[in-house]
């Protein structure tokens, strides 16, 4: 047991604590990793000072001092099969720090799904059987095993890393002091700085790394929620760590966020749906009432109730599933996804997404700002970004769900949704010259199930900018679609992720990349890449953004340039066998990012200025750059993160409409799209 740290959650009792030796100093209520002043060379003096003020965790976990188990009397037990589903659960997860004679002891207490849970009727019973997960005594205890430390780690992490391939390019210390593998090539100064900053952004919970803060700009006195770990922002950090052979932080992140999934939060007495993942969480150090010198690390999630947009983050759960698969693919550790609690987590997210509503389409209906663009930008309804992530998450789930009697119907629902969704997007979201011309000549007001203009789009909707902008070859998936409304803006994340996940047909995917290449000056210009194109201006800006001063034309979410999109671009280019295109973009970023102090976003039509209100030392800017570099160096690893066309999905059909059926089966149509 020595040299191993566990966050141990027993399945025997709702609460189980481990007491670990730990020296800890946490200031301002959150734990930051040590800022390495020597290596973060271009930080100013003020920055050094603030780094020091943050405090850091420097723990030696190799000694287990004791073990205590007990039931927390403050907690409501959560058992049963449905009658108490949706009832308030007052879970608490934390680790206590007892300051005893200069030595602080961390005491971990956690509630990882060690309760019986059931989800009933969330997706209508005709679709698939009730999800019934019995935890309690049958559940394997959740134990996050700290990979052996120090010297032992090298060999171990080599394996956990990238299946033996030596990819670690960072010659500094890894997380928790582990020495990572030596470089295959000379690491540039910029990369070295990026690694130091990324490590400086790591957040610890009970002495274990669990994520990275959104930004750590030491000169920023009002970080708002940028001092939190955002689920979507952590993805590029996670990939950088995974590709560098450091799996532990990702595993911890996945398990801790899983725990937060069940948190009970309300906005004015209304609770969000079960299975929702938070947008972000913060590690807080809370003093314990009546106990001098004893504090507790607590994870405090935000489901959107505090975030500025006050919107439920639909993308968080989808990113969580995508990251879980990436973890397994890159580390080769399939044990994590097979765990009962993890399988339950996947099913809860799917439940929430697959629940029947009033919808007529296979696309996921969401409110404005439920994704990376997390404030009003006119993307309510069926925005492409959510559809592309939804499709990817369904493909991941299809691979990861363990098929048994209780999941076989869910798997069938997933398969059906996948093919219906891809057909819908490929058919109705796609625009190129030919399609625009078709729309231009559309008949409207067609009443029949065979209507050609199914969404009753009035040709006048074709914006004048598009007429000149659309290249002869190339095309893209539009931003949003609802009856009588097509949002023709080009949204980068959705299009890139459609390539990565094969939501688009092989031909469409190629065309998207052709368009980006053709429109390089609009979509890349001085900084990759524009979040969307073009910007909303004048009256449209006023009405759609609500006169948002942050989202002015060509700024922030309204046509700003976001370097974090670089890693998704790189992945898409690699999939389409155009790595040179990615290299060109990476070189542009490498030239400016460090000099500009790693901004969150850039403004102006060509991305020339650092964004008006852009944070500096934005973690996903840093991580996006590192991940791009690592992907380019490791094509084999990159190939584990994208998907090719799934012909099986085009074959199988449960809608019982034969080829000769009166109505068209979308499966046959989907197949013909590809063939
Ligand atoms: C902004 C972005 C959002 C990101 C967050 C933290 O709110 O819109 O996508 O997750 O900042 O970086």
């Amino acid at each position: 047991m020595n040299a191993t740290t566990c966050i141990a959650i027993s399945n025997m009792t709702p609460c189980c604590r481990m007491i670990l030796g730990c020296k800890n100093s946490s200031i301002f209520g959150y734990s930051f990793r040590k800022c390495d002043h020597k290596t973060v060379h271009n930080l100013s003096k003020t920055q050094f000072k603030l780094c020091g003020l943050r405090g850091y965790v420097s723990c030696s976990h190799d000694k287990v001092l004791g073990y205590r188990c007990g039931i927390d009397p403050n907690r409501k037990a959560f058992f049963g099969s449905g009658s108490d589903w949706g009832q308030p659960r007052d879970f608490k997860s934390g680790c206590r720090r007892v300051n005893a004679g200069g030595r602080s002891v961390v005491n971990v207490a956690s509630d990882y799904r060690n309760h019986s849970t059931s989800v009933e009727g969330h997706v209508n019973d005709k679709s698939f059987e009730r999800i019934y997960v019995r935890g309690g005594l049958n559940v394997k205890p959740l134990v996050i095993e700290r990979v052996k430390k120090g010297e032992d780690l090298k060999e171990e992490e080599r394996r956990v890393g990238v299946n033996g391939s030596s990819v670690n390019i960072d010659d500094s210390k890894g997380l928790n002091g582990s020495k990572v593998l030596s470089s295959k090539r000379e690491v540039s100064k910029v990369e070295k700085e990026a690694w130091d900053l990324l490590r400086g952004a790591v957040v610890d919970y009970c002495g274990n790394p669990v994520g990275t803060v959104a930004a750590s700009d030491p000169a920023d006195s009002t970080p708002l929620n940028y001092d939190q770990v955002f689920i979507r922002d952590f993805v590029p950090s996670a990939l950088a760590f995974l590709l560098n052979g450091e799996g532990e932080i990702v595993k911890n992140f996945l398990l801790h966020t899983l725990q937060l999934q069940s948190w009970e939060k309300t906005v004015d007495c209304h609770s969000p749906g079960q299975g929702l993942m938070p947008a972000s969480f913060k590690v807080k150090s809370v003093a314990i009432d009546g106990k001098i010198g004893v504090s507790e690390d607590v994870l405090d999630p935000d489901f959107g109730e505090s975030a500025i947009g006050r919107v439920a983050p639909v993308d968080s759960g989808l990113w969580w599933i995508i990251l879980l698969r990436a973890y397994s693919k890159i580390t080769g550790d399939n044990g994590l996804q097979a765990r009962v609690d993890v399988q339950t987590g996947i099913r809860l997210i799917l439940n929430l997404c697959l629940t029947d509503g009033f919808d007529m389409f296979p696309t996921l209906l969401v409110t404005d700002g439920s994704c990376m663009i997390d404030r009003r930008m006119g993307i309510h309804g069926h925005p492409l970004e959510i559809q592309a992530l939804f499709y990817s998450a369904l493909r991941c789930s299809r691979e990861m769900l363990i098929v048994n009697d209780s999941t076989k119907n869910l798997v069938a629902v997933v398969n059906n949704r996948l093919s219906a969704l891809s057909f819908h997007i490929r058919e109705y979201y796609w625009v190129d010259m030919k399609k625009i011309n078709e729309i231009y000549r559309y008949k409207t007001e067609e009443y029949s199930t065979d209507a050609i203009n199914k969404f009753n789009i009035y040709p006048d909707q074709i914006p004048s900018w598009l007429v000149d902008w659309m290249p002869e070859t190339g095309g893209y998936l539009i931003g949003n679609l609802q009856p009588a409304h097509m949002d023709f803006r080009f949204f980068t994340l959705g299009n890139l992720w459609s390539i990565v996940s094969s939501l688009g047909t092989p031909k469409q995917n190629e065309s998207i990349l052709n368009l980006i290449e053709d429109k390089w000056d609009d979509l890349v210009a001085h900084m990759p890449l524009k979040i969307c194109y073009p910007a909303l201006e004048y009256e449209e800006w006023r009405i759609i953004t609500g006169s948002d001063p942050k989202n002015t034309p060509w700024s922030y979410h309204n046509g700003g340039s976001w370097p974090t999109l670089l890693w998704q671009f790189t992945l898409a280019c690699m999939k389409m066998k155009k790595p040179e295109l990615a290299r060109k973009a990476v070189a542009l970023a490498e030239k400016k990012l460090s000099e500009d102090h790693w901004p969150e976003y850039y403004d102006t039509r060509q991305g020339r200025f650092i964004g008006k209100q852009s944070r500096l030392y934005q973690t996903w800017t840093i991580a996006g750059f590192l991940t791009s570099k690592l992907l380019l160096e490791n094509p084999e690893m990159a190939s584990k993160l994208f998907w090719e066309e799934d012909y099986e999905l085009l074959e199988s059909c449960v809608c019982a409409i034969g080829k000769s059926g009166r109505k068209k089966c979308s499966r046959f149509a989907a197949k013909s799209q590809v063939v």
Side-chain angles (χ1 to χ4, degrees):
M1 198 70 185
N2 70 351
T4 302
T5 297
C6 302
I7 293 179
I9 292 79
S10 160
N11 55 357
M12 307 293 277
T13 62
C15 166
C16 179
R17 293 176 173 164
M18 281 198 95
I19 303 176
L20 308 163
C22 176
K23 282 182 257 142
N24 202 317
S25 71
S26 163
I27 303 175
F28 295 164
Y30 53 91
S31 309
F32 268 92
R33 216 141 254 287
K34 186 176 182 175
C35 272
D36 189 337
H37 296 177
K38 272 201 306 272
T39 46
V40 183
H41 40 78
N42 64 354
L43 297 183
S44 68
K45 275 202 182 118
T46 346
Q47 288 169 314
F48 286 147
K49 217 167 112 212
L50 283 159
C51 267
L53 270 178
R54 274 181 181 153
Y56 54 84
V57 181
S58 143
C59 295
S60 70
H61 306 276
D62 48 359
K63 227 166 146 199
V64 177
L65 300 179
Y67 191 89
R68 248 194 289 152
C69 278
I71 296 172
D72 189 332
N74 296 324
R75 248 177 303 170
K76 289 179 191 143
F78 180 67
F79 301 109
S81 57
S83 58
D84 41 11
W85 186 255
Q87 302 233 332
R89 281 175 296 158
D90 188 10
F91 285 177
K92 189 144 190 198
S93 145
C95 62
R96 283 178 185 191
R97 286 204 190 94
V98 185
N99 220 329
R103 201 193 65 219
S104 125
V105 178
V106 176
N107 188 354
V108 181
S110 227
D111 280 303
Y112 281 96
R113 285 182 203 288
N114 43 357
H115 310 271
S116 295
T117 60
S118 78
V119 184
E120 294 193 47
H122 278 246
V123 177
N124 61 354
D125 283 344
K126 73 177 189 299
S127 308
F128 54 84
E129 285 159 26
R130 294 170 171 193
I131 296 175
Y132 192 85
V133 181
R134 181 160 294 284
L137 297 176
N138 298 324
V139 184
K140 252 178 42 188
L142 189 146
V143 178
I144 301 173
E145 276 179 37
R146 160 69 46 76
V147 191
K148 286 192 183 117
K149 291 178 55 71
E151 289 310 297
D152 304 345
L153 189 75
K154 275 184 277 175
E155 268 318 302
E156 196 92 18
E157 283 213 340
R158 220 182 290 264
R159 268 186 292 112
V160 170
V162 285
N163 303 336
S165 69
S166 169
V167 295
N168 299 63
I169 55 151
D170 171 26
D171 59 357
S172 68
K173 286 264 160 91
L175 293 176
N176 292 315
S178 64
K179 177 98 176 67
V180 294
L181 299 171
S182 59
S183 172
K184 253 202 313 198
R185 62 166 174 88
E186 194 67 26
V187 181
S188 73
K189 221 173 119 207
V190 177
E191 276 171 88
K192 173 109 183 51
E193 183 200 342
W195 272 111
D196 291 335
L197 290 166
L198 182 62
R199 295 198 190 289
V202 169
V203 177
D204 281 340
Y205 172 65
C206 303
N208 294 291
V210 289
T212 47
V213 283
S216 31
D217 180 357
D220 184 2
S221 53
T222 48
L224 298 175
N225 52 354
Y226 282 79
D227 60 2
Q228 303 199 8
V229 180
F230 277 74
I231 309 304
R232 73 175 76 84
D233 290 41
F234 182 67
V235 175
S237 298
L239 292 176
F241 285 124
L242 285 173
L243 292 167
N244 200 42
E246 298 171 74
E248 182 199 359
I249 182 171
V250 183
K251 186 173 182 175
N252 291 347
F253 170 88
L254 288 165
L255 289 171
H256 283 291
T257 43
L258 180 65
Q259 177 192 23
L260 297 177
Q261 185 187 31
S262 303
W263 208 275
E264 184 67 17
K265 276 270 178 173
T266 56
V267 183
D268 296 338
C269 301
H270 179 74
S271 303
Q274 196 68 46
L276 185 69
M277 282 280 181
S280 61
F281 66 86
K282 182 166 177 149
V283 179
K284 289 183 172 163
S285 183
V286 182
I288 293 174
D289 282 352
K291 293 189 181 158
I292 299 158
V294 184
S295 66
E296 190 172 32
D297 267 1
V298 175
L299 293 177
D300 186 16
D302 179 7
F303 289 89
E305 74 279 11
S306 310
I308 292 165
R310 306 282 181 313
V311 162
V314 178
D315 65 339
S316 288
L318 307 175
W319 277 123
W320 185 88
I321 291 179
I322 293 167
L323 184 60
L324 176 65
R325 175 186 177 270
Y327 169 85
S328 305
K329 283 277 174 188
I330 296 179
T331 62
D333 170 11
N334 293 325
L336 186 68
Q337 71 186 40
R339 291 167 51 127
V340 172
D341 51 353
V342 174
Q343 287 280 315
T344 307
I346 301 172
R347 292 155 77 178
L348 285 178
I349 296 168
L350 292 179
N351 238 10
L352 206 53
C353 297
L354 297 170
T355 305
D356 284 344
F358 294 100
D359 237 345
M360 300 289 287
F361 313 119
T363 36
L364 197 57
L365 179 66
V366 298
T367 51
D368 210 347
S370 59
C371 51
M372 175 185 181
I373 297 180
D374 55 1
R375 52 208 285 171
R376 212 169 132 185
M377 267 296 290
I379 54 162
H380 51 279
H382 304 93
L384 179 67
E385 174 170 338
I386 288 290
Q387 311 317 322
L389 294 176
F390 181 36
Y391 184 77
S392 311
L394 289 176
R395 286 199 73 167
C396 295
S397 306
R398 185 166 183 261
E399 286 175 33
M400 295 189 298
L401 276 172
I402 295 170
V403 185
N404 53 37
D405 278 354
S406 66
T407 59
K408 63 178 196 289
N409 290 342
L410 172 63
V411 173
V413 171
V414 167
N415 283 336
N416 276 329
R417 193 62 171 257
L418 273 167
S419 45
L421 183 59
S422 70
F423 171 75
H424 185 90
I425 297 284
R426 291 166 178 200
E427 185 79 9
Y428 305 118
Y429 279 59
W430 181 251
V431 288
D432 54 13
M433 264 317 257
K434 186 166 163 268
K435 182 70 180 284
I436 297 283
N437 209 163
E438 260 169 43
I439 299 172
Y440 183 70
R441 291 168 54 80
Y442 263 166
K443 283 196 189 61
T444 56
E445 316 284 333
E446 292 175 281
Y447 178 84
S448 96
T449 51
D450 297 328
I452 293 180
N453 182 3
K454 251 204 179 109
F455 291 84
N456 199 33
I457 304 296
Y458 297 99
D460 266 4
Q461 256 187 46
I462 301 173
S464 50
W465 65 264
L466 185 62
V467 178
D468 300 324
W469 197 70
M470 185 62 94
E472 281 302 323
T473 55
Y476 67 97
L477 296 165
I478 59 167
N480 210 338
L481 175 70
Q482 355 232 7
H485 175 72
M486 285 175 108
D487 182 344
F488 286 98
R489 281 175 292 170
F490 175 89
F491 284 85
T492 304
L493 201 159
N495 272 284
L496 292 178
W497 211 253
S498 299
I499 298 178
V500 169
S501 64
S502 278
L503 173 56
T505 65
K507 202 154 168 264
Q508 287 174 344
N509 295 336
E510 210 183 302
S511 295
I512 295 171
L513 217 50
N514 285 344
L515 178 128
I516 296 178
E517 207 174 347
D518 199 280
K519 296 291 160 190
W520 190 265
D521 289 346
D522 290 329
L523 302 175
V524 180
H526 289 270
M527 180 51 66
L529 285 115
K530 281 244 162 299
I531 196 164
C532 64
Y533 181 91
L536 300 169
E537 297 187 279
Y538 310 109
E539 207 48 10
E540 225 180 0
W541 164 76
R542 199 180 60 76
I543 295 167
I544 293 180
T545 72
S547 304
D548 184 348
K550 237 186 141 177
N551 272 332
T552 49
W554 308 107
S555 181
Y556 198 45
H557 295 316
N558 188 12
S561 302
W562 290 68
T564 188
L565 294 169
L566 191 58
W567 75 268
Q568 336 222 13
F569 180 60
T570 305
L571 199 53
C573 289
M574 293 183 76
K575 176 178 166 185
M576 302 312 293
K577 309 220 171 354
K578 285 196 166 178
E580 68 290 346
L581 212 54
R583 283 206 182 89
K584 199 167 130 192
V586 172
L588 267 176
E590 186 152 16
K591 221 166 55 196
K592 295 192 74 187
L593 287 182
S594 161
E595 207 174 282
D596 293 345
H597 308 292
W598 309 93
E600 180 186 16
Y601 63 95
Y602 285 73
D603 283 358
T604 75
R605 255 177 191 273
Q606 305 227 302
R608 296 196 84 150
F609 292 168
I610 297 172
K612 240 184 330 205
Q613 294 187 41
S614 165
R615 308 270 147 179
L616 300 182
Y617 299 101
Q618 181 80 17
T619 307
W620 69 354
T621 297
I622 299 164
F625 165 72
L626 286 174
T627 296
S628 304
K629 283 268 183 183
L630 288 162
L631 288 171
L632 283 167
E633 258 170 53
N634 298 282
E636 216 179 288
M637 284 299 128
S639 70
K640 292 176 191 261
L641 301 175
F642 53 71
W643 292 261
E644 299 299 340
E645 181 71 81
D646 188 332
Y647 290 95
E648 204 184 286
L649 278 175
L650 301 177
E651 294 295 337
S652 56
C653 181
V654 293
C655 77
I657 300 171
K659 261 188 201 149
S660 54
R662 193 176 62 87
K663 283 185 213 147
K664 248 204 304 193
C665 163
S666 67
R667 227 57 47 105
F668 299 127
K671 213 166 134 191
S672 68
Q673 281 171 335
V674 175
V675 179

